[in-house]
Each structure stands twice: as structure tokens, then as C-alpha cells.
Amino acid sequence: DLLEHLIAFFQPKLLAGRKVVMTAGPTFEAIDPVRGITNTSSGKMGYALAQACRRAGAEVVLVSGPTGLPAPLGVDRVDVRSALQMRDAVAAALPDADVFIGVAAVADYRPLSAAEHKVKKSSTELTLTLTPNPDILAEVAARPDAPFCVGFAAESRELDAYAEGKRRAKRLPMLVGNLVQDGLGSDDNQVILYDDAGRHPQPRAAKTVVAQKIVEHLAGLLAIRATRLAK
Amino acid sequence: DLLEHLIAFFQPKLLAGRKVVMTAGPTFEAIDPVRGITNTSSGKMGYALAQACRRAGAEVVLVSGPTGLPAPLGVDRVDVRSALQMRDAVAAALPDADVFIGVAAVADYRPLSAAEHKVKKSSTELTLTLTPNPDILAEVAARPDAPFCVGFAAESRELDAYAEGKRRAKRLPMLVGNLVQDGLGSDDNQVILYDDAGRHPQPRAAKTVVAQKIVEHLAGLLAIRATRLAK
């Protein structure tokens, strides 16, 4: 804790006075009381980014799906399980937020209905009907009082096309893209930052270092926007 | 590590000279490169039991699905993801095993086919066809050279009926049953041990304590069997 205070003390306060609301980790969509659909997100990138935002002086609310990670010091964590719970927790945290960062690997689909009791195994095939989950980031970005929104895209191929397509479709000023095989579950990551000025590839590095780069880029874009609004 | 050596040193060597093969944790059944079906098993009960077996002097091979837990000292851990991988790893570890303990919450079903690339989100419902996974424990118990097999059953209701039914169907000499709401993901557990002599309810306790009780019961049954075979 002392070390964390020292590191934070010597960090430039690029986000001082800002409130950042973030999501991280996977979501878990119940099939029955024990089974569910999830994904391989470890939450490490989101937690590293929450810590970097905090070190940069921001007030941070981290809405987190199930991970085994401890909350970074000074970060206000809200634990959720499903995408619907995550949407509600984000909505509750949004007032006064300057920045929203959607890092969570929100499940795109959930079972249409969850069984109340554990489904007993049978020897035959089973069909599961899935219904689309809300797109939390798109919903936040579409609000009339939307904060500055940063998206994440983890793709297994054609990163530029998918990432930039996602950024434009959701009208995000900034998006962090990476290839699934480069980051998911690992301690390292290699990302490309996308914004209105183009693509900015970053070197492969520890997720803590990548998080610091993202904060610097974000702070730069916030400064440009503030200058523009002041004109 | 020194503490662990000390604890192990003072533990009665109830399983000295025995080789125990175990499974623990959930399995993860891929839908595509990032998504999959899993369950809320934390792996804590299985890891606690692996440690208790090791402290009791056994050679322990722990075939583990994805968990964030460190391997207990002196336990040989084999990491797997899916039920099919778990079955292969168990088969590879079985030769010379005296005991097999199936603690893992193996997914009963897996998607019939996993997509090679991340499935893109659409706004319509999606149907997933699931096919039954092999029952690893039943397969091991049915081998002509089967070791002493211990099963686990986590149920959301009617524990006695489901647990004893499972024990008889798979012809297991011992089964550990618990209610999902009593143990899953938690540090505590409340279990009932089932064997040919009946049901043996245990008090609610830390999973490490419950694990020790299970080892004692198991060692007792192994001793009875040895006496019977010697006659």
C-alpha cells in the first residue's frame, strides 16, 4: 500500500479532477444455478487500466464481472455477474462521469431463460436459445449527456477493419484494439489505439505499461476536446 | 513453504504410499475462440482436497480446469480446459493410481462445433446445439482395473436422492454430496458423505477442514477394503 501511494504520488496527474467509470472482466450469463456462458477475459487489462487512471488522479468506479483479482487501491469496485446487472451498475455510476471506458468482455448473448434448478444430464443433444444482450458501451455513447467514451475491441482477425468499424458505428472518440491471441488472459498485451486522427500502434508490453499509454493518449484527447470547447 | 512442510510433517500419514489422481475446477467448453460454457466452480474444494491428500502422504496428480488458484505444494498439477482434454489427462495419469477422486464440475454438455473465429454479434436470437460430454468419473469407475473411486455431487435440491442415485448408478464406493448453495465458490462447505454403510453428514466448516474429514473417511474405507481383500 505504501508502495502504491508512492507510485501514485510520483505519477503525473493527467486525470486529476476527472471521474472515470469503467467496466472490466467477463460477464457470466446463467443457464441454470451453476452453469453459464462466459468468456476467457481475465480482467487484467481492465484492472490495470483502473489502477493507471487512479494513479493519474482520477476518481474511478470499476464495474467488474467475476474475476479473481483484488480491487486496485483507491478504486471503487462494484461487483456484478451478468450483462444486465452490469448495465444497471454502470447507469447508477454514470452521473458526473467525465469518461466511460468499456473494457469488459460483455457476453453478446444470454440464454433466453435460465432454469431455476440444475438441469439434469441426459444422453441426447440439447438446444439452447440465446438472445442478444444490450450493448452497454453503445447505449452510454448514445446518451445526450454522454461522457467521453473509450471502447475496447478484441478480435481474432482483421483487427483494423473490425476495430475501426466498431468505433465508427458506436461513434466513439477512442478505441483500443487488440488481437485475442495477443492479450486475452495474458499479462502482456499489444494494442493499437484508434481515434479520429487514425491508428496508433503500441509496442508489446506488460498490461500495466499498456494501461499507462492508454491513459496518456486519453488525457491528450481530453485536453484537445477541452481546447476545442473553450474556443 | 516451511509452514506447509511443518503442517505436513505433523499430519498422520493416512495415505502414505498411495497414488491419488484427482480432477478439480470447472471445465470450459469453447463456443468460439473467446466464448464458452462453464460453471461457477472455484476449484477451492478440489485444491483443498489435493492438499489434504498430499499432507496425508499420498502422491497426488491434480488434473485441473481453469482456476486462478496456485497448485498446492508437492502436488503434480496438469492444466486442462475442456472435458475432453480432462478425460485424456486423467487417462494418462491413471496407471498405478490407487484412488481416483472426481471433484471437477465437468461441463455436462459442449457445443457441437466450436467456431474457428469470434462469432460476430447480430440482433437476432441464436441457437446453440449442445452435445453430452463423456462422464469421466463413470468411465474410470467402469474400467476393469478401476482404482477406488470417489465422486462429488453438487445439487440445488433433493441432495440425498440425487447423490445416492449417482453413487449407485456409477457404482462408487464413496461420494461427497453438497447443496450448491452451501459450497460453490465459497471458502466453507457443508457436505454429506455417502458409502455402502449409509450417509454421514459433516458439520459446516472451512473447505480445508472438510477436506481433512474426507481424507480420514477415505482412508478408513481403503483400510476396510484392504482387510477384506486380505481375507
Side-chain angles (χ1 to χ4, degrees):
Chain A
D1 279 21
L2 178 63
L3 181 66
E4 180 57 32
H5 282 298
L6 276 171
I7 292 170
F9 182 81
F10 287 108
Q11 211 71 31
K13 292 292 164 287
L14 293 171
L15 297 177
R18 306 282 194 182
K19 177 177 172 182
V20 176
V21 175
M22 293 181 47
T23 62
T27 64
F28 184 93
E29 310 296 331
I31 296 174
D32 68 19
V34 293
R35 302 186 185 90
I37 295 177
T38 187
N39 57 65
T40 54
S41 165
S42 63
K44 285 177 193 164
M45 190 66 240
Y47 277 59
L49 189 53
Q51 184 172 50
C53 287
R54 179 65 194 147
R55 285 179 178 173
E59 173 195 348
V60 181
V61 179
L62 175 63
V63 179
S64 175
T67 74
L69 303 173
L73 192 72
V75 165
D76 180 13
R77 183 171 69 176
V78 181
D79 287 317
V80 298
R81 210 162 89 123
S82 68
L84 295 180
Q85 288 169 352
M86 186 171 274
R87 173 165 68 167
D88 289 347
V90 165
L94 268 189
D96 307 322
D98 301 289
V99 177
F100 175 73
I101 315 179
V103 194
V106 181
D108 289 336
Y109 296 90
R110 67 176 181 279
L112 195 55
S113 60
E116 191 190 345
H117 289 290
K118 192 175 167 187
V119 178
K120 301 312 287 182
K121 188 176 184 176
S122 76
S123 58
T124 55
E125 284 181 2
L126 201 78
T127 306
L128 198 60
T129 304
L130 305 176
T131 189
N133 265 328
D135 185 325
I136 298 172
L137 178 59
E139 284 183 2
V140 172
R143 291 168 73 112
D145 60 344
F148 187 94
C149 286
V150 181
F152 271 69
E155 302 294 342
S156 64
R157 56 175 173 173
E158 294 177 54
L159 177 58
D160 280 343
Y162 282 131
E164 189 57 18
K166 192 170 178 178
R167 194 179 77 83
R168 283 167 195 270
K170 300 187 188 180
R171 303 175 149 274
L172 307 174
M174 177 175 166
L175 185 137
V176 182
N178 74 287
L179 287 169
V180 168
Q181 48 274 37
D182 282 339
L184 217 72
S186 152
D187 287 328
D188 279 17
N189 203 355
Q190 179 160 17
V191 306
I192 300 177
L193 308 180
Y194 299 86
D195 61 22
D196 290 342
R199 63 196 291 280
H200 313 275
Q202 304 295 316
R204 167 168 279 279
K207 284 182 175 174
T208 49
V209 174
V210 172
Q212 181 55 28
K213 285 282 176 194
I214 294 170
V215 166
E216 286 166 17
H217 200 86
L218 165 63
L221 293 181
L222 287 173
I224 292 169
R225 171 166 294 201
T227 314
R228 230 187 263 145
L229 290 175
K231 271 183 193 158
Chain B
D1 279 19
L2 178 62
L3 181 65
E4 180 57 31
H5 281 299
L6 276 171
I7 292 170
F9 183 80
F10 287 107
Q11 210 71 33
K13 293 292 164 287
L14 295 171
L15 297 177
R18 305 281 193 182
K19 177 176 172 183
V20 176
V21 175
M22 295 181 47
T23 61
T27 64
F28 183 93
E29 309 297 330
I31 295 173
D32 69 18
V34 293
R35 301 185 186 91
I37 294 178
T38 187
N39 57 66
T40 53
S41 164
S42 63
K44 285 177 192 164
M45 190 64 240
Y47 277 60
L49 189 53
Q51 185 172 50
C53 288
R54 178 65 193 146
R55 285 178 178 174
E59 173 194 347
V60 182
V61 179
L62 175 62
V63 179
S64 176
T67 74
L69 303 174
L73 192 72
V75 165
D76 179 13
R77 181 170 71 178
V78 182
D79 287 317
V80 298
R81 210 162 87 122
S82 68
L84 295 181
Q85 289 169 353
M86 186 172 275
R87 173 165 68 166
D88 289 347
V90 165
L94 268 190
D96 306 321
D98 300 289
V99 178
F100 175 72
I101 313 178
V103 194
V106 180
D108 288 337
Y109 295 90
R110 66 176 183 278
L112 194 55
S113 59
E116 191 189 348
H117 290 291
K118 193 175 166 185
V119 177
K120 302 311 287 181
K121 189 175 182 176
S122 77
S123 58
T124 54
E125 285 180 3
L126 200 79
T127 308
L128 197 61
T129 304
L130 306 176
T131 189
N133 265 328
D135 185 325
I136 298 171
L137 178 59
E139 284 184 2
V140 172
R143 291 168 72 112
D145 59 345
F148 186 94
C149 286
V150 181
F152 271 69
E155 303 294 340
S156 66
R157 56 176 172 172
E158 295 177 55
L159 177 58
D160 280 342
Y162 282 133
E164 190 56 19
K166 194 170 176 177
R167 193 179 79 81
R168 283 168 194 270
K170 299 186 189 180
R171 304 175 149 271
L172 307 174
M174 177 176 166
L175 185 137
V176 182
N178 73 289
L179 287 168
V180 168
Q181 49 274 37
D182 282 340
L184 218 73
S186 153
D187 288 328
D188 280 16
N189 203 357
Q190 179 160 18
V191 306
I192 300 178
L193 307 181
Y194 299 86
D195 60 23
D196 290 341
R199 61 196 291 280
H200 314 275
Q202 304 295 316
R204 165 168 281 280
K207 285 182 173 173
T208 48
V209 175
V210 172
Q212 181 55 30
K213 286 281 177 196
I214 294 170
V215 166
E216 286 164 17
H217 200 87
L218 165 64
L221 293 181
L222 286 174
I224 292 170
R225 169 167 295 203
T227 313
R228 227 186 265 145
L229 289 176
K231 272 180 193 163

